[in-house]
Amino acid sequence: MLVEKPDTIIGRDLEWAVLERFLRAGDDGSLKIGIVSGRRRAGKTHLLTAAAGAVGGLYHVCVQEEGDLSARARFAAGIAAHGGIAGAATADWESLLVSALDVAARTAPPGRPPLLVIDEFPYAMAKAPQLPGLLQLLYDRAQRGEGPGGRVVLCGSSLSVMRELLSGTKPLRGRAMVDLKLGPLDYRQTAELWGVADPETAMKVHACVGGYPGYRRLIDRTPRSPAEFEEWVPDTLLSTGFGAFTTAEVDYLLREDPRITDRSAYHDVLGAIARGSTTLAKIGAETGRSKDAVRPLLRTLESTGYVARRVDLVRGRSSISVRDPIIRFDRLVTAPRQGQLELGQSQQVWRAMRDTFRSQIIGPHFEELAREWVRRFAAAELGREEGFGEVGTANVQDNAGRAKYEVDVLGVQGRTVTFIGEAKATGQRQGASALERLETIRSALAGLGYRAEGAVLGVFSLTGFTPELAGLAGPGTALVGLDRMYGR
């Protein structure tokens, strides 16, 4: 019997299907382990508490900087409460894990294996590093029919610790049936989450906080129009008294990874990347650090998902960008005016930084949403069942015209170009010159040996299109404004 996803969970259809399969009936009595990870605010707890509630599972959350004795006592109390027992003695971790699975077995519906969810598992591991080894012991015993079976889900926000659980010779390597990583919701799901019907407002909110559900619960009101957005930013993201104040939030994000000890160094690197330093050499020059000093900082930030390398699909070179919207917003808007914000001058700061927001955040973000539209939605909406292959950016050299073009959106499948797009977040409508430029790029790609004659030419605009361009658009052309981007 399938477990229906609750209506309170926006998106996450794939993730719920993976969990549902993991929890499906037909248990052979063995112990199966699942790993769920994702950065802070990704909605892991909401997803797992819903799954545990659906199958009578035992959900337990660990606490940061809690002593081992206190952690075991609280786990014992949680086991007792779940099983309706008057009280339970504090025991060693092995006994507690066995007891938890036994109690979960008594509360599981008929035909369902017992479920134990341990949320923020890295916090418990900090004081009890033997926990993965004990789970390996229980796993191996269950395989021999000598111990309790069921399902154990380990969850955590420290991505490096969760990744390490399954690496090298670690005890749980090769023993996890599920390794589920929760990323952000897509931009359409984010609009649904926030309840924003206006596409421009939805896009701006997404540019600030991304697709992380946790921020919705931190903020008491939602902007419904561009005018309300102008009031919403200084009243929430730039207000030091609110939990969504971006500098405090970024500091929390960096604290989640135990490898990040010198947070000021990471703040410097993130700021340099957000301002446009996209290579190792440029980041080093702006921060006053050598390449060797910057390289490990970048590796850590990439592994956490806060920054990403973007490969030029034609030239093969990579550039580095800030992947997390709230970090980008903080480094570009909040951090430069921190002193004023601490004096309560959020309105003045927003007036001063509004142009920075438009040029350095909205512009690049609109380009990224254009690429996401091609990846996620264009195949169905343009009737191309096979999709558009790899989607990214490129620099294209036009040898005939002796010019070089930056391509905002490029889709390729091997040596076949499937999509060429230009995305502009300016106040002017896109005109016929945009289509002419894309046709020139298509010819240049053909000159470089690509098959580009069947590529869709896409023009993306925040403010619409001129009648001339609309008249020129044919079957192989896609004009994508915000309404179409948001499926309206």
Side-chain angles (χ1 to χ4, degrees):
M1 182 178 65
L2 295 177
V3 177
E4 294 294 329
K5 188 189 74 170
D7 294 336
T8 56
I9 298 177
I10 303 296
R12 303 302 188 202
D13 292 339
L14 175 62
E15 293 87 346
W16 187 265
V18 170
L19 288 175
E20 204 285 329
R21 181 175 175 182
F22 182 63
L23 303 175
R24 194 168 297 162
D27 185 35
D28 57 4
S30 65
L31 185 67
K32 292 180 171 59
I33 297 173
I35 306 294
V36 177
S37 59
R39 68 88 122 174
R40 174 184 166 94
R41 316 286 191 202
K44 304 181 299 299
T45 296
H46 190 197
L47 187 72
L48 291 176
T49 52
V55 298
L58 196 167
Y59 171 86
H60 175 74
V61 60
C62 304
V63 175
Q64 192 172 17
E65 297 179 358
E66 184 177 41
D68 182 63
L69 179 61
S70 175
R72 286 186 285 118
R74 202 166 50 79
F75 191 21
I79 295 168
H82 185 79
I85 306 169
T90 301
D92 60 85
W93 280 109
E94 181 181 348
S95 300
L96 286 170
L97 290 169
V98 172
S99 297
L101 287 167
D102 286 341
V103 167
R106 293 200 295 271
T107 59
R112 285 276 182 186
L115 170 65
L116 168 64
V117 176
I118 304 179
D119 202 352
E120 295 300 355
F121 185 66
Y123 293 161
M125 277 184 61
K127 297 296 183 181
Q130 74 274 23
L131 276 169
L134 293 175
L135 286 165
Q136 176 199 9
L137 181 66
L138 295 179
Y139 178 93
D140 292 344
R141 284 179 184 168
Q143 294 295 107
R144 300 192 300 267
E146 298 173 358
R151 306 287 184 269
V152 176
V153 174
L154 308 176
C155 177
S157 301
S158 176
L159 300 184
S160 64
V161 175
M162 298 304 293
R163 188 176 294 109
E164 187 74 10
L165 287 175
L166 304 179
S167 67
T169 58
K170 296 296 182 181
L172 296 182
R173 178 170 175 80
R175 291 175 171 82
M177 178 180 176
V178 167
D179 184 11
L180 188 60
K181 300 175 179 65
L182 260 67
L185 302 175
D186 69 50
Y187 66 88
R188 288 185 179 179
Q189 293 168 343
T190 304
E192 181 184 354
L193 173 75
W194 285 83
V196 181
D198 176 66
E200 181 183 346
T201 308
M203 187 271 294
K204 288 180 176 179
V205 170
H206 191 267
C208 293
V209 298
Y212 296 100
Y215 294 120
R216 179 66 189 91
R217 291 187 285 274
L218 286 180
I219 296 174
D220 58 346
R221 65 187 180 90
T222 301
R224 308 289 179 183
S225 66
E228 288 185 13
F229 176 82
E230 293 296 322
E231 300 173 357
W232 178 79
V233 171
D235 286 348
T236 54
L237 304 182
L238 298 179
S239 175
T240 57
F242 271 81
F245 178 59
T246 62
T247 295
E249 178 62 19
V250 172
D251 199 49
Y252 284 134
L253 291 175
L254 296 180
R255 286 175 186 269
E256 288 290 349
D257 196 311
R259 297 171 298 175
I260 298 177
T261 52
D262 182 5
R263 288 193 297 280
S264 63
Y266 287 90
H267 280 303
D268 289 346
V269 169
L270 287 167
I273 299 170
R275 288 186 294 271
S277 294
T278 59
T279 66
L280 187 65
K282 289 180 180 178
I283 296 167
E286 183 168 344
T287 61
R289 294 177 171 85
S290 68
K291 289 184 179 180
D292 289 340
V294 172
R295 193 174 284 110
L297 303 180
L298 279 178
R299 278 199 299 266
T300 299
L301 290 172
E302 284 184 72
S303 69
T304 58
Y306 299 150
V307 305
R309 290 185 184 272
R310 188 168 59 200
V311 178
D312 185 312
L313 295 183
V314 172
R315 304 174 71 190
R317 298 176 183 176
S318 66
S319 61
I320 303 162
S321 61
V322 176
R323 185 179 181 185
D324 197 297
I326 205 163
I327 293 178
R328 179 180 58 190
F329 183 94
D330 177 72
R331 292 295 89 192
L332 291 175
V333 176
T334 309
R337 301 282 180 143
Q338 178 113 23
Q340 283 180 267
L341 293 173
E342 289 174 354
L343 295 175
Q345 297 173 359
S346 60
Q347 296 287 348
Q348 295 94 316
V349 167
W350 181 234
R351 283 194 292 270
M353 302 304 287
R354 191 179 285 117
D355 287 343
T356 297
F357 177 74
R358 288 173 183 153
S359 62
Q360 297 187 51
I361 293 180
I362 288 297
H365 194 73
F366 183 65
E367 292 177 13
E368 182 53 46
L369 291 194
R371 290 187 285 271
E372 188 171 350
W373 181 81
V374 176
R375 291 188 195 103
R376 292 182 182 271
F377 308 114
E381 295 178 16
L382 297 180
R384 190 183 180 109
E385 294 181 1
E386 68 275 21
F388 291 92
E390 188 175 3
V391 179
T393 63
N395 286 275
V396 176
Q397 184 72 38
D398 181 3
N399 295 324
R402 295 184 179 180
K404 186 172 73 173
Y405 297 95
E406 291 185 6
V407 185
D408 299 328
V409 187
L410 185 68
V412 294
Q413 290 179 330
R415 299 293 293 179
T416 299
V417 178
T418 59
F419 196 101
I420 308 169
E422 179 174 286
K424 295 301 179 189
T426 63
Q428 294 181 335
R429 293 182 294 174
Q430 288 269 53
S433 60
L435 190 57
E436 293 169 2
R437 183 175 185 272
L438 294 177
E439 290 169 345
T440 301
I441 293 170
R442 178 163 58 186
S443 298
L445 286 164
L448 295 174
Y450 287 88
R451 295 181 295 274
E453 64 278 359
V456 174
L457 303 182
V459 182
F460 298 82
S461 175
L462 272 182
T463 50
F465 311 94
T466 65
E468 183 184 9
L469 175 57
L472 290 172
T477 305
L479 304 185
V480 186
L482 278 175
D483 282 340
R484 186 172 187 181
M485 188 176 280
Y486 274 86
R488 296 186 171 89

